[in-house]
Amino acid sequence: MAIDDVDRALLVRLQNDATQSYAALGQAVGLSAGAAHERVRKLKATGVIRRTTIEVDPAALGSGVLAYVLLDSDAWMGDEPTLDALQAIPTVEEAHIIAGPASVLVKVRTGSTEALQATLRSLHLVDGVTSTQTIVVLESFFERAPAVV
Amino acid sequence: MAIDDVDRALLVRLQNDATQSYAALGQAVGLSAGAAHERVRKLKATGVIRRTTIEVDPAALGSGVLAYVLLDSDAWMGDEPTLDALQAIPTVEEAHIIAGPASVLVKVRTGSTEALQATLRSLHLVDGVTSTQTIVVLESFFERAPAVV
DNA sequence: AGTGAAAACCATGCAAT
DNA sequence: ATTGCATGGTTTTCACT
């Protein structure tokens, strides 16, 4: 799909506030409400907009501990069993196959260091994992949505 | 604020789809539309729900390269000038002060390895940064929203 | 692709409990 | 804190451009 500057402007505005009306949205980018609606419909249909969602404050829900964990392995971990095992751990927010010393990088968010420890235990139990290296976040400067280039 | 199971159920449903009506939302958790609306209003007022937003597919917008970069420094980087400098680089999606060998961990998303290189150059120009260590993501298993515990 | 308007639907406020 | 209802606004569709 071809995405032009108007689409990008719509995406930026919806990223900031997805509750605004199509009338407001259209006015901001110089379009009628109907036209704005049609563009957003297409962006959703083609998958550029994955979904409309809420951004939750993890700290308000009691998840104040953030860490990144590097997983070393004795086998190739790029297959579905690994994905399933990692996805089954609710405190694992991201999982990536990486180039470099380790095999997999996961982002973990928990409510306490004890819960982090429990997650590390779960990670050690994933097939192929031989060791982990944990990077504990002391303070987050920011976590923001992907830039709309 | 006290968050109960009904609130959590509402949060999970809104994370999946923030476009549904309060009638549907209320029915799903055993509440009237008005009551569901009132609960969501409070969750927004107290900051548990930060905002309603769209989730964009970075790949569809031409950002297919993901990397994590560790920054070493010769000074304390936990202050505002560092935050501002990192925030000013649009390809930097997250920045965290970390415990361990390096000082700062940043998440970078670009459209090409050339653009990644340009971001690394920008990171080297940030005050205090002495060296960087880049972890390139080969494949993302998943990136999902924080779990509502 | 965009416009303008019509119809169905929903958010929002309020009185009552 | 929840309900049911009224109303003003919004989404959604459609004929026309």
Side-chain angles (χ1 to χ4, degrees):
Chain A
M1 183 198 182
I3 295 160
D4 64 16
D5 292 341
V6 176
D7 288 325
R8 267 182 271 270
L10 290 171
L11 291 172
V12 169
R13 294 196 163 262
L14 285 173
Q15 253 182 359
N16 284 322
D17 177 14
T19 66
Q20 65 196 297
S21 71
Y22 287 113
L25 213 48
Q27 188 162 29
V29 302
L31 242 52
S32 72
H37 181 257
E38 174 63 10
R39 285 213 181 220
V40 173
R41 192 195 60 73
K42 276 186 191 155
L43 288 167
K44 285 178 177 168
T46 56
V48 177
I49 295 176
R50 286 219 193 92
R51 60 179 178 176
T52 303
T53 183
I54 53 167
E55 199 180 283
V56 160
D57 178 10
L61 285 161
S63 289
V65 177
L66 182 62
Y68 285 88
V69 184
L70 292 159
L71 306 181
D72 287 297
S73 71
D74 58 8
W76 173 239
M77 295 193 69
D79 294 318
E80 213 170 305
T82 308
L83 194 168
D84 293 343
L86 294 175
Q87 209 158 17
I89 307 173
T91 49
V92 173
E93 215 170 281
E94 302 181 13
H96 311 279
I97 312 263
I98 57 175
S103 319
V104 174
L105 174 65
V106 302
K107 181 182 187 177
V108 172
R109 203 188 297 269
T110 64
S112 64
T113 48
E114 287 80 10
L116 172 57
Q117 204 185 338
T119 301
L120 290 175
R121 194 170 11 241
S122 301
L123 289 171
H124 272 286
L125 292 174
V126 172
D127 257 14
V129 173
T130 53
S131 71
T132 64
Q133 190 187 333
T134 305
I135 298 167
V136 176
V137 171
L138 301 177
E139 186 199 337
S140 286
F141 273 145
F142 58 86
E143 294 182 80
R144 62 187 176 192
V148 174
V149 191
Chain B
M1 183 200 183
I3 295 158
D4 64 15
D5 292 342
V6 176
D7 288 325
R8 269 182 269 270
L10 289 171
L11 290 173
V12 169
R13 294 199 163 259
L14 285 173
Q15 253 181 0
N16 284 322
D17 177 15
T19 66
Q20 65 196 298
S21 71
Y22 287 113
L25 211 48
Q27 189 161 31
V29 302
L31 243 51
S32 72
H37 182 258
E38 174 63 10
R39 282 199 180 235
V40 173
R41 192 195 60 74
K42 277 186 190 155
L43 289 167
K44 285 179 177 167
T46 55
V48 178
I49 296 176
R50 284 220 196 91
R51 60 177 179 176
T52 303
T53 183
I54 54 167
E55 199 179 283
V56 160
D57 178 9
L61 286 160
S63 288
V65 176
L66 181 62
Y68 286 88
V69 184
L70 292 160
L71 307 181
D72 288 298
S73 70
D74 58 9
W76 173 240
M77 295 193 70
D79 295 318
E80 213 171 305
T82 308
L83 194 167
D84 294 342
L86 293 174
Q87 209 158 17
I89 308 173
T91 48
V92 173
E93 216 169 279
E94 301 181 14
H96 311 279
I97 314 262
I98 57 174
S103 321
V104 174
L105 174 65
V106 301
K107 181 181 186 178
V108 172
R109 202 188 299 269
T110 63
S112 64
T113 49
E114 287 80 9
L116 172 57
Q117 203 185 340
T119 300
L120 291 175
R121 192 168 12 238
S122 302
L123 289 171
H124 272 286
L125 291 175
V126 172
D127 258 14
V129 172
T130 52
S131 71
T132 64
Q133 191 186 333
T134 306
I135 299 167
V136 176
V137 170
L138 301 176
E139 185 198 337
S140 285
F141 273 145
F142 58 85
E143 295 182 80
R144 62 186 174 192
V148 175
V149 190

